[in-house]
Amino acid sequence: MKKQVFVNAKIVNEGTSFFSDVLIHHGRIEKIATHISDPNADVFDINGNYLIPGMIDDQVHFRDPGLTYKGNLTSESRAAVAGGVTSFMDMPNTVPNTLNRDLLEQKYQAAAQQSLANYSFFMGVTAGNLEEALRVDNESVCGITDDGLYFNEQQILANNPEYLEKLFSRAETLVALHSEDESIIDQNYERYFTETKGQISFALHAKIRSTEACVTATKRVLDIQSNYQNRLHFFHISTGEEAMLFPASTDYRNKRVTAEACIHHLWFTEKDYEKRGGDIKWNPSIKTEFDRVTLIQALKEGRIDIIASDHAPHSMEEKQGTYEQVKSGAPIVQHTLPLLFELASRGEISVEQIVEKTSHRVADIYRLKDRGYLREGYYADLVEMQPNSPWHVTTTSLFYRCGWAPVVGERLSAKVKRTFVNGNLVFQEDAFMSDAKGSRLFFEKIR
């Protein structure tokens, strides 16, 4: 691979912003300095735009295998890099569910042939595969999770204390959980079904999948984990009350319990159900403005550690119909970074904090090797973000296989201009520039 020099770049890295040049060789950052000149290198003029480490999205549902009418590794990784996501970690609720190591490795083999972004895949954990889940290699697999799965036919893992005790006492890899109390959700559903005579509106989703349901389950899991020293990560914290359960801490490398917020909980509120309806039906639900603002504050305080997309495409047909008929989840990986930069333009979060929460801290929590920072020797997973470049999200601008998004119509002020994965220019100015495939992610072996 030919050397590359990035000039006139406004680098955002490790809490600071500064102008510098960057030299790339063999897919890694070789040098960061004020002035770099190399006659044998290709030159990319960043023109004062932001140059940031690519987003590492630790929660996506790319639907491959078995549900590829919604999305697949090719289409959704293209959408990812178009949105400045250079690495992703995919969930196990495909068909079949990823519940053994053979199926897990089949996903890795498929990604090596199809994915433009770097990749890792979670092993699923349910009632019947504890021993198999515990055998995953934590240097080459990001973790184990129940997200998108049922522990048994009726409940998720967070509602099974006895099993959690077994899991936490033995897990040597990171355990990531979806945390809602299903019994409270069921009670709420029955109440509102009766009150509305079976005509539940989408606005009631926040009351059915309520704050109480989230807080109750999260407290239960935290109480159990306090007896152990396993690494525990909470996906998609959606309530301000939950966020306050986590201590404010910046010692990310040594945290045993970490938490994530997702872009839709930072962007939408319950008022948006009137306009967006089932398009923004997610689990956990989108809740109040208080929750949205408190989650952002918790990110700044180090209570919530990272930001993810929870990209979960469904077909247009699956997002139409009654409350019960519409599936939960939506495509958003292409728009997570631009939406965060819009929040930055409003003064709600800084660009430095965006980089910290979408790249640095993800690398720290998962112990990623040589990624997540603009450092000499690290892989050149780089994104050029162009500020002050207003655009509207339109259907024709989407790269999702499902062909729709809950943010169509939004006006955003910053856009992804170029994305480099392992030094390869894969996306530029709304076009894909290379078919070079991403690489498997690897992790430090730390208990």
Side-chain angles (χ1 to χ4, degrees):
M1 180 186 295
K2 192 174 181 180
K3 289 185 177 182
Q4 302 148 291
V5 175
F6 299 81
V7 299
N8 302 318
K10 187 176 184 180
I11 290 176
V12 184
N13 189 58
E14 302 191 61
T16 63
S17 299
F18 57 96
F19 283 92
S20 185
D21 296 349
V22 181
L23 175 65
I24 308 301
H25 194 208
H26 295 310
R28 291 184 182 250
I29 299 170
E30 185 170 286
K31 187 178 182 181
I32 301 173
T34 304
H35 298 290
I36 298 175
S37 179
D38 191 320
N40 298 314
D42 290 331
V43 178
F44 293 89
D45 192 343
I46 306 302
N47 289 308
N49 292 332
Y50 292 113
L51 187 66
I52 65 175
M55 179 172 176
I56 304 167
D57 194 341
D58 85 321
Q59 192 192 170
V60 303
H61 302 259
F62 280 1
R63 306 304 192 192
D64 200 343
L67 299 167
T68 52
Y69 68 93
K70 304 173 192 267
N72 59 36
L73 285 165
T74 299
S75 64
E76 307 314 286
S77 70
R78 284 165 63 89
V81 298
V85 176
T86 54
S87 300
F88 66 83
M89 303 177 200
D90 185 71
M91 297 296 108
N93 60 327
T94 46
V95 178
N97 292 162
T98 314
L99 299 178
N100 64 60
R101 285 170 293 169
D102 287 341
L103 291 171
L104 185 64
E105 286 305 314
Q106 287 174 26
K107 280 190 169 184
Y108 281 106
Q109 292 168 18
Q113 300 298 316
Q114 299 177 51
S115 179
L116 294 186
N118 305 314
Y119 49 86
S120 191
F121 296 89
F122 280 90
M123 167 72 88
V125 59
T126 65
N129 79 326
L130 177 62
E131 297 304 322
E132 180 73 358
L134 291 173
R135 291 191 186 100
V136 298
D137 176 10
N138 61 12
E139 290 185 271
S140 62
V141 177
C142 51
I144 58 180
T145 186
D146 70 329
D147 193 67
L149 306 174
Y150 278 100
F151 167 76
N152 52 37
E153 293 182 357
Q154 297 179 321
Q155 294 181 319
I156 62 173
L157 186 55
N159 298 311
N160 290 270
E162 185 176 332
Y163 191 89
L164 285 175
E165 296 267 1
K166 294 179 183 178
L167 178 60
F168 291 170
S169 68
R170 297 180 59 195
E172 294 186 0
T173 191
L174 180 142
V175 178
L177 298 180
H178 175 121
S179 184
E180 291 184 285
D181 189 291
E182 294 288 336
S183 64
I184 293 174
I185 292 169
D186 291 344
Q187 291 168 14
N188 290 338
Y189 176 81
E190 292 300 326
R191 172 190 170 186
Y192 289 110
F193 186 87
T194 300
E195 288 184 3
T196 64
K197 296 182 172 57
Q199 302 299 309
I200 295 176
S201 69
F202 290 106
L204 288 173
H205 191 54
K207 298 185 184 301
I208 292 171
R209 289 187 171 267
S210 63
T211 294
E212 181 190 9
C214 295
V215 173
T216 300
T218 299
K219 283 183 175 179
R220 178 190 303 124
V221 176
L222 285 171
D223 286 344
I224 295 169
Q225 194 279 339
S226 66
N227 297 316
Y228 304 95
Q229 284 299 308
N230 65 294
R231 291 164 57 205
L232 171 64
H233 182 64
F234 286 90
F235 284 141
H236 41 49
I237 295 296
S238 63
T239 76
E241 188 175 343
E242 275 179 289
M244 293 301 107
L245 297 175
F246 302 97
S249 172
T250 57
D251 186 15
Y252 296 97
R253 292 282 296 180
N254 294 313
K255 276 190 173 186
R256 308 305 289 184
V257 178
T258 53
E260 139 201 313
C262 289
I263 184 58
H264 44 284
H265 294 124
L266 306 177
W267 183 260
F268 297 110
T269 72
E270 60 184 359
K271 293 181 179 179
D272 293 304
Y273 286 115
E274 182 177 358
K275 177 182 178 181
R276 299 289 185 179
D279 284 0
I280 61 168
K281 183 185 177 188
W282 258 283
N283 298 340
S285 64
I286 290 161
K287 299 180 175 68
T288 69
E289 173 68 5
F290 167 80
D291 292 306
R292 189 190 75 81
V293 171
T294 306
L295 287 172
I296 292 174
Q297 186 60 36
L299 282 160
K300 295 177 180 180
E301 294 173 354
R303 298 178 187 276
I304 304 294
D305 305 288
I306 63 176
I307 301 171
S309 73
D310 193 12
H311 173 78
H314 294 291
S315 69
M316 293 182 187
E317 293 75 16
E318 289 172 328
K319 295 297 282 187
Q320 297 173 4
T322 65
Y323 173 79
E324 288 84 359
Q325 291 169 332
V326 169
K327 291 185 178 296
S328 293
I332 203 165
V333 72
Q334 184 183 337
H335 299 96
T336 298
L337 265 182
L339 289 168
L340 288 171
F341 270 76
E342 186 64 23
L343 293 178
S345 74
R346 299 176 185 178
E348 296 192 52
I349 190 171
S350 70
V351 174
E352 290 81 6
Q353 288 165 336
I354 292 171
V355 170
E356 176 189 349
K357 299 299 183 178
T358 61
S359 193
H360 299 340
R361 300 306 164 235
V362 190
D364 290 343
I365 289 167
Y366 283 88
R367 314 305 206 253
L368 267 168
K369 289 185 176 180
D370 298 344
R371 299 190 191 274
Y373 291 84
L374 297 189
R375 291 174 176 169
E376 294 177 358
Y378 274 51
Y379 288 101
D381 298 331
L382 307 171
V383 174
E384 179 185 350
M385 289 294 299
Q386 184 173 335
N388 305 315
S389 183
W391 61 291
H392 282 90
V393 182
T394 63
T395 302
T396 56
S397 69
L398 306 178
F399 293 108
Y400 308 128
R401 187 168 196 181
C402 63
W404 71 277
V407 292
V408 167
E410 298 282 3
R411 182 183 183 277
L412 305 177
S413 58
K415 66 188 304 182
V416 175
K417 184 173 182 180
R418 284 184 278 216
T419 303
F420 297 80
V421 179
N422 303 315
N424 295 303
L425 175 61
V426 294
F427 181 80
Q428 177 176 268
E429 301 282 9
D430 303 318
F432 296 96
M433 307 301 293
S434 169
D435 195 38
K437 301 302 185 288
S439 300
R440 183 169 182 164
L441 299 175
F442 289 96
F443 311 87
E444 297 174 24
K445 191 176 182 65
I446 299 176
R447 172 73 163 86

Short mmCIF file of all heavy atoms in Angstrom, two decimals, residues 156-191:
data_model
loop_
_atom_site.label_atom_id
_atom_site.label_comp_id
_atom_site.label_asym_id
_atom_site.label_seq_id
_atom_site.Cartn_x
_atom_site.Cartn_y
_atom_site.Cartn_z
N ILE A 156 -35.98 -12.52 29.40
CA ILE A 156 -34.60 -12.22 29.04
C ILE A 156 -33.70 -12.53 30.23
O ILE A 156 -34.16 -12.75 31.35
CB ILE A 156 -34.44 -10.76 28.59
CG1 ILE A 156 -34.79 -9.78 29.72
CG2 ILE A 156 -35.25 -10.48 27.35
CD1 ILE A 156 -34.50 -8.33 29.39
N LEU A 157 -32.42 -12.52 30.00
CA LEU A 157 -31.46 -12.97 31.01
C LEU A 157 -31.49 -12.11 32.27
O LEU A 157 -31.30 -12.62 33.38
CB LEU A 157 -30.06 -12.96 30.39
CG LEU A 157 -28.90 -13.51 31.22
CD1 LEU A 157 -29.20 -14.92 31.68
CD2 LEU A 157 -27.62 -13.48 30.39
N ALA A 158 -31.73 -10.81 32.12
CA ALA A 158 -31.72 -9.91 33.29
C ALA A 158 -32.77 -10.27 34.32
O ALA A 158 -32.69 -9.82 35.48
CB ALA A 158 -31.93 -8.46 32.82
N ASN A 159 -33.74 -11.08 33.94
CA ASN A 159 -34.81 -11.47 34.86
C ASN A 159 -34.62 -12.87 35.44
O ASN A 159 -35.57 -13.46 35.97
CB ASN A 159 -36.16 -11.39 34.15
CG ASN A 159 -36.46 -9.96 33.70
OD1 ASN A 159 -36.35 -9.03 34.48
ND2 ASN A 159 -36.81 -9.80 32.44
N ASN A 160 -33.38 -13.37 35.37
CA ASN A 160 -33.08 -14.71 35.87
C ASN A 160 -31.88 -14.66 36.80
O ASN A 160 -30.75 -15.00 36.41
CB ASN A 160 -32.82 -15.65 34.69
CG ASN A 160 -34.08 -15.94 33.90
OD1 ASN A 160 -34.81 -16.88 34.18
ND2 ASN A 160 -34.34 -15.09 32.90
N PRO A 161 -32.09 -14.23 38.04
CA PRO A 161 -30.97 -14.02 38.98
C PRO A 161 -30.10 -15.25 39.20
O PRO A 161 -28.86 -15.13 39.27
CB PRO A 161 -31.68 -13.62 40.28
CG PRO A 161 -33.00 -13.07 39.84
CD PRO A 161 -33.39 -13.85 38.63
N GLU A 162 -30.71 -16.42 39.32
CA GLU A 162 -29.93 -17.63 39.60
C GLU A 162 -28.94 -17.92 38.47
O GLU A 162 -27.78 -18.25 38.70
CB GLU A 162 -30.87 -18.82 39.80
CG GLU A 162 -30.15 -20.09 40.21
CD GLU A 162 -31.11 -21.25 40.48
OE1 GLU A 162 -32.27 -20.98 40.87
OE2 GLU A 162 -30.69 -22.40 40.30
N TYR A 163 -29.41 -17.74 37.24
CA TYR A 163 -28.53 -17.98 36.10
C TYR A 163 -27.44 -16.91 36.02
O TYR A 163 -26.28 -17.20 35.69
CB TYR A 163 -29.35 -18.00 34.81
CG TYR A 163 -28.60 -18.48 33.60
CD1 TYR A 163 -28.58 -19.83 33.27
CD2 TYR A 163 -27.91 -17.60 32.78
CE1 TYR A 163 -27.90 -20.29 32.14
CE2 TYR A 163 -27.22 -18.04 31.66
CZ TYR A 163 -27.22 -19.39 31.35
OH TYR A 163 -26.54 -19.83 30.24
N LEU A 164 -27.81 -15.65 36.31
CA LEU A 164 -26.81 -14.59 36.31
C LEU A 164 -25.68 -14.88 37.30
O LEU A 164 -24.51 -14.59 37.03
CB LEU A 164 -27.47 -13.24 36.63
CG LEU A 164 -28.28 -12.59 35.53
CD1 LEU A 164 -28.97 -11.33 36.05
CD2 LEU A 164 -27.42 -12.26 34.31
N GLU A 165 -26.04 -15.42 38.45
CA GLU A 165 -25.02 -15.79 39.44
C GLU A 165 -24.02 -16.77 38.83
O GLU A 165 -22.80 -16.61 38.97
CB GLU A 165 -25.69 -16.41 40.67
CG GLU A 165 -26.62 -15.49 41.44
CD GLU A 165 -25.92 -14.78 42.58
OE1 GLU A 165 -24.71 -14.98 42.76
OE2 GLU A 165 -26.61 -14.01 43.28
N LYS A 166 -24.51 -17.78 38.14
CA LYS A 166 -23.63 -18.77 37.51
C LYS A 166 -22.76 -18.11 36.45
O LYS A 166 -21.55 -18.37 36.37
CB LYS A 166 -24.47 -19.88 36.87
CG LYS A 166 -25.25 -20.74 37.84
CD LYS A 166 -26.05 -21.79 37.07
CE LYS A 166 -26.91 -22.63 37.98
NZ LYS A 166 -27.73 -23.61 37.23
N LEU A 167 -23.39 -17.26 35.64
CA LEU A 167 -22.66 -16.62 34.55
C LEU A 167 -21.58 -15.68 35.07
O LEU A 167 -20.42 -15.75 34.65
CB LEU A 167 -23.65 -15.86 33.66
CG LEU A 167 -23.07 -15.08 32.48
CD1 LEU A 167 -22.34 -16.00 31.53
CD2 LEU A 167 -24.18 -14.32 31.76
N PHE A 168 -21.94 -14.82 35.99
CA PHE A 168 -20.99 -13.83 36.49
C PHE A 168 -19.84 -14.48 37.27
O PHE A 168 -18.72 -13.97 37.28
CB PHE A 168 -21.70 -12.82 37.38
CG PHE A 168 -22.64 -11.89 36.65
CD1 PHE A 168 -23.50 -11.07 37.37
CD2 PHE A 168 -22.68 -11.85 35.27
CE1 PHE A 168 -24.36 -10.20 36.71
CE2 PHE A 168 -23.55 -11.00 34.60
CZ PHE A 168 -24.39 -10.17 35.32
N SER A 169 -20.12 -15.58 37.92
CA SER A 169 -19.08 -16.23 38.72
C SER A 169 -18.01 -16.89 37.85
O SER A 169 -16.90 -17.15 38.32
CB SER A 169 -19.69 -17.26 39.66
OG SER A 169 -20.22 -18.36 38.94
N ARG A 170 -18.33 -17.11 36.57
CA ARG A 170 -17.41 -17.87 35.73
C ARG A 170 -16.92 -17.12 34.49
O ARG A 170 -15.93 -17.53 33.88
CB ARG A 170 -18.08 -19.18 35.29
CG ARG A 170 -18.43 -20.10 36.45
CD ARG A 170 -19.10 -21.36 35.93
NE ARG A 170 -18.24 -22.09 35.00
CZ ARG A 170 -18.67 -23.06 34.19
NH1 ARG A 170 -19.95 -23.41 34.21
NH2 ARG A 170 -17.84 -23.67 33.38
N ALA A 171 -17.61 -16.06 34.09
CA ALA A 171 -17.30 -15.41 32.83
C ALA A 171 -15.93 -14.74 32.86
O ALA A 171 -15.62 -13.96 33.76
CB ALA A 171 -18.36 -14.38 32.49
N GLU A 172 -15.10 -15.05 31.87
CA GLU A 172 -13.79 -14.41 31.73
C GLU A 172 -13.78 -13.38 30.61
O GLU A 172 -12.79 -12.68 30.42
CB GLU A 172 -12.72 -15.47 31.48
CG GLU A 172 -12.52 -16.40 32.67
CD GLU A 172 -11.37 -17.36 32.46
OE1 GLU A 172 -10.73 -17.29 31.39
OE2 GLU A 172 -11.10 -18.16 33.37
N THR A 173 -14.87 -13.30 29.88
CA THR A 173 -15.00 -12.30 28.83
C THR A 173 -16.08 -11.33 29.22
O THR A 173 -16.83 -11.54 30.19
CB THR A 173 -15.31 -12.96 27.48
OG1 THR A 173 -15.18 -12.01 26.44
CG2 THR A 173 -16.71 -13.55 27.45
N LEU A 174 -16.19 -10.24 28.49
CA LEU A 174 -17.20 -9.23 28.79
C LEU A 174 -18.60 -9.79 28.56
O LEU A 174 -18.86 -10.46 27.56
CB LEU A 174 -16.97 -8.00 27.92
CG LEU A 174 -17.92 -6.82 28.08
CD1 LEU A 174 -17.15 -5.50 27.96
CD2 LEU A 174 -19.03 -6.86 27.03
N VAL A 175 -19.51 -9.52 29.51
CA VAL A 175 -20.92 -9.91 29.39
C VAL A 175 -21.73 -8.64 29.17
O VAL A 175 -21.66 -7.71 29.97
CB VAL A 175 -21.42 -10.63 30.66
CG1 VAL A 175 -22.90 -10.97 30.53
CG2 VAL A 175 -20.60 -11.88 30.93
N ALA A 176 -22.49 -8.59 28.08
CA ALA A 176 -23.29 -7.40 27.75
C ALA A 176 -24.77 -7.77 27.78
O ALA A 176 -25.17 -8.78 27.18
CB ALA A 176 -22.90 -6.87 26.38
N LEU A 177 -25.57 -6.96 28.48
CA LEU A 177 -26.96 -7.33 28.72
C LEU A 177 -27.95 -6.25 28.29
O LEU A 177 -27.67 -5.05 28.36
CB LEU A 177 -27.18 -7.61 30.21
CG LEU A 177 -26.41 -8.76 30.83
CD1 LEU A 177 -26.77 -8.90 32.31
CD2 LEU A 177 -26.70 -10.07 30.10
N HIS A 178 -29.12 -6.71 27.88
CA HIS A 178 -30.32 -5.88 27.72
C HIS A 178 -31.07 -5.96 29.04
O HIS A 178 -31.35 -7.05 29.52
CB HIS A 178 -31.17 -6.44 26.58
CG HIS A 178 -32.48 -5.76 26.37
ND1 HIS A 178 -32.80 -5.15 25.17
CD2 HIS A 178 -33.56 -5.60 27.17
CE1 HIS A 178 -34.02 -4.64 25.26
NE2 HIS A 178 -34.50 -4.91 26.47
N SER A 179 -31.41 -4.80 29.61
CA SER A 179 -31.93 -4.79 30.98
C SER A 179 -33.31 -4.13 31.06
O SER A 179 -33.43 -2.91 31.12
CB SER A 179 -30.95 -4.06 31.90
OG SER A 179 -31.37 -4.12 33.24
N GLU A 180 -34.37 -4.96 31.04
CA GLU A 180 -35.74 -4.52 31.30
C GLU A 180 -36.46 -5.63 32.05
O GLU A 180 -36.20 -6.81 31.80
CB GLU A 180 -36.49 -4.22 30.00
CG GLU A 180 -36.02 -3.01 29.23
CD GLU A 180 -36.89 -2.75 28.01
OE1 GLU A 180 -36.74 -3.50 27.01
OE2 GLU A 180 -37.73 -1.84 28.05
N ASP A 181 -37.37 -5.26 32.93
CA ASP A 181 -38.14 -6.24 33.69
C ASP A 181 -39.39 -6.62 32.91
O ASP A 181 -40.31 -5.81 32.74
CB ASP A 181 -38.52 -5.68 35.06
CG ASP A 181 -39.12 -6.74 35.97
OD1 ASP A 181 -40.24 -7.18 35.68
OD2 ASP A 181 -38.47 -7.10 36.96
N GLU A 182 -39.41 -7.86 32.43
CA GLU A 182 -40.50 -8.30 31.57
C GLU A 182 -41.84 -8.38 32.30
O GLU A 182 -42.90 -8.14 31.71
CB GLU A 182 -40.16 -9.67 30.96
CG GLU A 182 -38.99 -9.66 30.02
CD GLU A 182 -39.29 -8.99 28.69
OE1 GLU A 182 -40.48 -8.94 28.31
OE2 GLU A 182 -38.35 -8.52 28.04
N SER A 183 -41.82 -8.69 33.58
CA SER A 183 -43.10 -8.79 34.32
C SER A 183 -43.77 -7.42 34.42
O SER A 183 -45.00 -7.31 34.30
CB SER A 183 -42.87 -9.39 35.71
OG SER A 183 -42.06 -8.55 36.50
N ILE A 184 -43.00 -6.37 34.64
CA ILE A 184 -43.56 -5.02 34.70
C ILE A 184 -44.09 -4.62 33.33
O ILE A 184 -45.17 -4.03 33.21
CB ILE A 184 -42.50 -4.03 35.20
CG1 ILE A 184 -42.16 -4.32 36.66
CG2 ILE A 184 -42.99 -2.59 35.04
CD1 ILE A 184 -41.02 -3.48 37.21
N ILE A 185 -43.34 -4.94 32.29
CA ILE A 185 -43.79 -4.63 30.93
C ILE A 185 -45.10 -5.33 30.62
O ILE A 185 -46.03 -4.73 30.07
CB ILE A 185 -42.71 -5.03 29.91
CG1 ILE A 185 -41.48 -4.12 30.07
CG2 ILE A 185 -43.24 -4.95 28.48
CD1 ILE A 185 -40.26 -4.58 29.30
N ASP A 186 -45.21 -6.60 30.99
CA ASP A 186 -46.45 -7.35 30.74
C ASP A 186 -47.63 -6.74 31.49
O ASP A 186 -48.73 -6.62 30.94
CB ASP A 186 -46.26 -8.81 31.16
CG ASP A 186 -45.30 -9.56 30.25
OD1 ASP A 186 -45.02 -9.06 29.13
OD2 ASP A 186 -44.82 -10.64 30.65
N GLN A 187 -47.41 -6.34 32.74
CA GLN A 187 -48.47 -5.71 33.52
C GLN A 187 -48.90 -4.38 32.88
O GLN A 187 -50.10 -4.08 32.79
CB GLN A 187 -48.00 -5.47 34.95
CG GLN A 187 -47.80 -6.74 35.77
CD GLN A 187 -47.08 -6.48 37.08
OE1 GLN A 187 -46.93 -5.33 37.51
NE2 GLN A 187 -46.59 -7.54 37.70
N ASN A 188 -47.93 -3.60 32.45
CA ASN A 188 -48.25 -2.33 31.80
C ASN A 188 -49.03 -2.55 30.51
O ASN A 188 -50.00 -1.83 30.22
CB ASN A 188 -46.97 -1.55 31.49
CG ASN A 188 -46.28 -1.03 32.73
OD1 ASN A 188 -46.89 -0.88 33.78
ND2 ASN A 188 -44.99 -0.74 32.62
N TYR A 189 -48.61 -3.53 29.76
CA TYR A 189 -49.31 -3.81 28.49
C TYR A 189 -50.76 -4.18 28.75
O TYR A 189 -51.67 -3.67 28.07
CB TYR A 189 -48.62 -4.94 27.73
CG TYR A 189 -49.37 -5.32 26.47
CD1 TYR A 189 -49.22 -4.57 25.31
CD2 TYR A 189 -50.24 -6.41 26.46
CE1 TYR A 189 -49.93 -4.91 24.16
CE2 TYR A 189 -50.95 -6.75 25.33
CZ TYR A 189 -50.79 -5.99 24.17
OH TYR A 189 -51.52 -6.32 23.05
N GLU A 190 -51.00 -5.07 29.70
CA GLU A 190 -52.38 -5.48 30.01
C GLU A 190 -53.21 -4.28 30.45
O GLU A 190 -54.38 -4.14 30.06
CB GLU A 190 -52.38 -6.56 31.09
CG GLU A 190 -51.79 -7.89 30.65
CD GLU A 190 -52.54 -8.51 29.48
OE1 GLU A 190 -53.78 -8.34 29.42
OE2 GLU A 190 -51.89 -9.13 28.63
N ARG A 191 -52.63 -3.40 31.24
CA ARG A 191 -53.36 -2.21 31.70
C ARG A 191 -53.78 -1.34 30.53
O ARG A 191 -54.95 -0.95 30.42
CB ARG A 191 -52.47 -1.42 32.66
CG ARG A 191 -53.05 -0.06 33.04
CD ARG A 191 -52.03 0.79 33.78
NE ARG A 191 -52.51 2.16 33.93
CZ ARG A 191 -51.80 3.15 34.43
NH1 ARG A 191 -50.55 2.91 34.85
NH2 ARG A 191 -52.31 4.37 34.52
#
